[in-house]
Amino acid sequence: YRYLDLRKERMQRNLQIRHRIISAIRRFYDAEGFTEVETPMLTRATPEGARDYLVPSRVHPGSFYALPQSPQLFKQLLMVAGLDRYYQIVRCFRDEDLRADRQPDFTQLDVEMSFVEVDDVLESTERMFRSVWREVLGVEVAPFARISFGESMERFGTDKPDLRYGMELVDLGEVFNSTEVKVFRSVLDGGGLVKALVVEGQGGLARKALDALVDQTKAMGAGGLVWIGVTPDGFKSPLDKFFSDEERAGLLETTGANEGDLVLVVADFRHSVVYKVLGGLRTRLAERFGLVPDYAPDDPGYWRFAWIVDFPWFERNEEEERWDPIHHPFTGVVEDTIDYLESDPAKVISKSYDITLNGWELASGSIRIHDAAMQSRVFDALGISEEEQREKFGFLLDAFKFGPPPHGGIAPGIDRIVALAAGETNIREVIAFPKTQTAADPLTGAPASVAGDQLELLHLRVEMPNNDK
């Protein structure tokens, strides 16, 4: 009965905001000399980072189309074709687990430009967002912050920080550099991190609530959580008896904690775990204890946009003991780090960038590789054989032989943009006919079984999974 839900004033308002935002985006890019071009819906699978939705071909038995996760390759080919400024409001599809900010089919603004570098894409896109917010919401948005990936992780424990409040992570390596506290000593000696987060006014939190925080920390992958309540009589903590007076004083000075505050400390050899845990706690506890300032939506302070730049190209997969790519394989590499591709992947920096707003990732983009030899080198570094390169990307590599210009772009998510503009916390509320958390459509009953003759026409048969295995 979604059609009845859509009668509500709130839902009508959300769909109107969506319409106005998309219209404003089109006006902006039309005025900037961009051309909107539609790209194919039925294409072939590309390594975009998620599972594809596949469509069987009746006329090519045993072969499948893939619904696009993005128009990535086609927009790069448009740059080769000489269309210097392209955009498209496009439907995309990803077969991945759903969250509040994800749907299996979604809408994105796709943008690509020729003869640009990172700053050109950032400047154009930022003007677009400020123009849309001015036209649709009547708000003059402040210039976007620009934060490197490394700085964002160090300060906030995440690459999509909410800048409306503080609660920044603090490094305690210097405070405990001579400590006898075993859990800190072993981590620091092994090159790990000891970092803290201060929760204002929660030093008197009940033991049951503190134990629940410890359990949450363990569920996120850490070995545990050290909590320290700052009281008039000193520290309240299971580890206080092991701290020296110098360490107590250093902890207070470094964290800036005051009487009545709660200090949470995570120590781990794995830097990623420290960031994940403290970044997650920062977000949850700020919401739980009302530490996010109560700005009105027409207050420019409410809209804290940020560019996150200088992403690494690879991340360490500790379980598989290998380096995995963070981005699609067409992402450009910062020139000074190219020579580390084969020898030291940790040092390779990408020409990619994200837009975040109030803790949500709104867009990702990059300057692309436009040289066939360089593209093949990246494929080699990713372990993609020359045969596989030709099979999957031969058409792109062939196109690069005809002199592609330097190019780059970005792809903001329309559903997320509208949700934030409308004050919603779930993108379902700004989509007319969304899917459920199980990727089902209660209105139409999709997905559904199909008749045997249809399967026969497509040369398919269904084998149900054996749940006993």
Side-chain angles (χ1 to χ4, degrees):
Y1 298 97
R2 178 67 170 179
Y3 43 85
L4 297 181
D5 192 37
L6 291 176
R7 291 181 178 179
K8 295 177 181 176
E9 182 179 344
R10 168 171 151 253
M11 300 304 297
Q12 295 273 323
R13 169 184 168 272
N14 287 352
L15 293 182
Q16 284 294 326
I17 290 175
R18 185 183 184 100
H19 164 70
R20 292 170 60 199
I21 285 176
I22 291 175
S23 297
I25 289 171
R26 282 199 162 102
R27 279 192 292 274
F28 176 87
Y29 282 110
D30 289 349
E32 293 280 313
F34 285 71
T35 302
E36 184 167 13
V37 180
E38 296 171 321
T39 51
M41 286 287 105
L42 294 176
T43 180
R44 68 173 297 159
T46 57
E48 293 278 354
R51 289 179 295 272
D52 291 302
Y53 280 102
L54 300 177
V55 180
S57 169
R58 177 184 59 81
V59 295
H60 299 283
S63 296
F64 294 81
Y65 299 103
L67 298 180
Q69 295 186 39
S70 83
Q72 181 62 46
L73 296 179
F74 290 107
K75 65 182 178 182
Q76 289 191 249
L77 292 173
L78 287 172
M79 298 302 104
V80 178
L83 195 76
D84 290 350
R85 292 187 162 206
Y86 144 92
Y87 85 99
Q88 180 182 188
I89 306 291
V90 61
R91 298 289 286 170
C92 300
F93 308 85
R94 292 185 181 177
D95 184 9
E96 58 188 358
D97 296 334
L98 271 62
R99 302 191 309 231
D101 61 350
R102 284 182 180 172
Q103 283 276 302
D105 47 346
F106 57 95
T107 306
Q108 73 181 33
L109 162 64
D110 206 52
V111 180
E112 198 80 4
M113 296 176 271
S114 290
F115 302 105
V116 292
E117 275 296 342
V118 170
D119 286 345
D120 301 305
V121 180
L122 269 55
E123 186 274 337
S124 173
T125 308
E126 184 169 332
R127 282 194 297 107
M128 181 275 293
F129 271 100
R130 296 180 73 182
S131 173
V132 169
W133 249 246
R134 183 185 308 117
E135 180 177 335
V136 177
L137 299 180
V139 177
E140 285 292 340
V141 174
F144 293 11
R146 189 181 296 199
I147 307 171
S148 72
F149 171 83
E151 180 187 352
S152 184
M153 298 303 291
E154 288 287 340
R155 292 173 59 190
F156 307 106
T158 178
D159 58 3
K160 45 181 181 291
D162 190 336
L163 302 181
R164 291 174 297 172
Y165 57 96
M167 290 181 67
E168 295 190 16
L169 279 54
V170 180
D171 193 293
L172 299 181
E174 286 297 316
V175 174
F176 293 107
N177 65 349
S178 301
T179 190
E180 295 301 319
V181 179
K182 290 183 179 179
V183 64
F184 296 162
R185 177 77 279 140
S186 62
V187 166
L188 291 172
D189 288 346
L193 288 178
V194 179
K195 293 184 80 75
L197 176 72
V198 177
V199 188
E200 185 179 334
Q202 298 303 318
L205 203 62
R207 182 58 185 261
K208 183 177 181 181
L210 291 168
D211 288 343
L213 289 180
V214 173
D215 291 340
Q216 290 177 31
T217 298
K218 291 180 178 178
M220 286 188 278
L225 175 72
V226 176
W227 51 265
I228 304 165
V230 183
T231 75
D233 301 319
F235 285 178
K236 181 182 73 173
S237 173
L239 287 190
D240 181 48
K241 60 185 176 182
F242 301 110
F243 294 154
S244 67
D245 290 340
E246 185 179 354
E247 288 168 349
R248 292 187 188 93
L251 190 146
L252 288 174
E253 180 181 358
T254 303
T255 63
N258 297 308
E259 185 180 313
D261 291 345
L262 175 67
V263 182
L264 302 175
V265 184
V266 175
D268 204 288
F269 298 101
R270 300 160 296 175
H271 294 201
S272 60
V273 170
V274 175
Y275 296 137
K276 176 183 177 181
V277 171
L278 288 177
L281 289 175
R282 176 180 181 266
T283 300
R284 295 178 191 180
L285 297 180
E287 294 174 354
R288 175 177 171 184
F289 296 120
L291 300 176
V292 182
D294 190 20
Y295 292 108
D298 59 356
D299 186 332
Y302 181 85
W303 308 102
R304 299 297 301 274
F305 287 91
W307 286 106
I308 309 298
V309 298
D310 298 332
F311 281 82
W313 219 102
F314 298 90
E315 63 182 352
R316 184 67 177 169
N317 184 329
E318 298 293 348
E319 292 183 3
E320 301 291 334
E321 296 185 348
R322 69 179 186 217
W323 290 96
D324 288 340
I326 297 176
H327 316 282
H328 62 64
F330 319 108
T331 301
V333 181
V334 172
E335 285 77 6
D336 292 346
T337 69
I338 287 174
D339 288 339
Y340 295 114
L341 265 173
E342 296 84 6
S343 61
D344 193 352
K347 294 182 179 179
V348 180
I349 303 299
S350 68
K351 291 186 176 182
S352 62
Y353 33 81
D354 284 0
I355 298 176
T356 68
L357 173 60
N358 298 355
W360 287 45
E361 178 192 316
L362 287 191
S364 290
S366 68
I367 299 301
R368 324 300 184 188
I369 296 170
H370 65 280
D371 175 76
M374 185 64 206
Q375 186 65 76
S376 291
R377 185 175 173 184
V378 169
F379 285 150
D380 290 341
L382 295 174
I384 300 175
S385 68
E386 187 172 343
E387 181 181 354
E388 189 177 359
Q389 292 176 34
R390 290 303 311 173
E391 179 189 351
K392 291 185 175 180
F393 310 109
F395 63 93
L396 180 68
L397 296 173
D398 288 342
F400 279 2
K401 296 176 182 177
F402 293 89
H407 58 281
I410 195 164
I414 295 294
D415 306 312
R416 297 182 186 185
I417 292 170
V418 178
L420 283 165
E424 299 288 355
T425 58
N426 194 312
I427 63 172
R428 285 173 44 85
E429 304 306 317
V430 297
I431 298 172
F433 301 104
K435 305 294 189 295
T436 66
Q437 287 290 95
T438 58
D441 180 1
L443 181 66
T444 64
S449 59
V450 297
D453 57 345
Q454 285 184 282
L455 291 175
E456 186 176 348
L457 195 64
L458 294 169
H459 316 285
L460 296 176
R461 72 179 182 202
V462 175
E463 290 188 7
M464 300 302 291
N466 186 348
N467 295 324
D468 295 332
K469 290 184 179 180

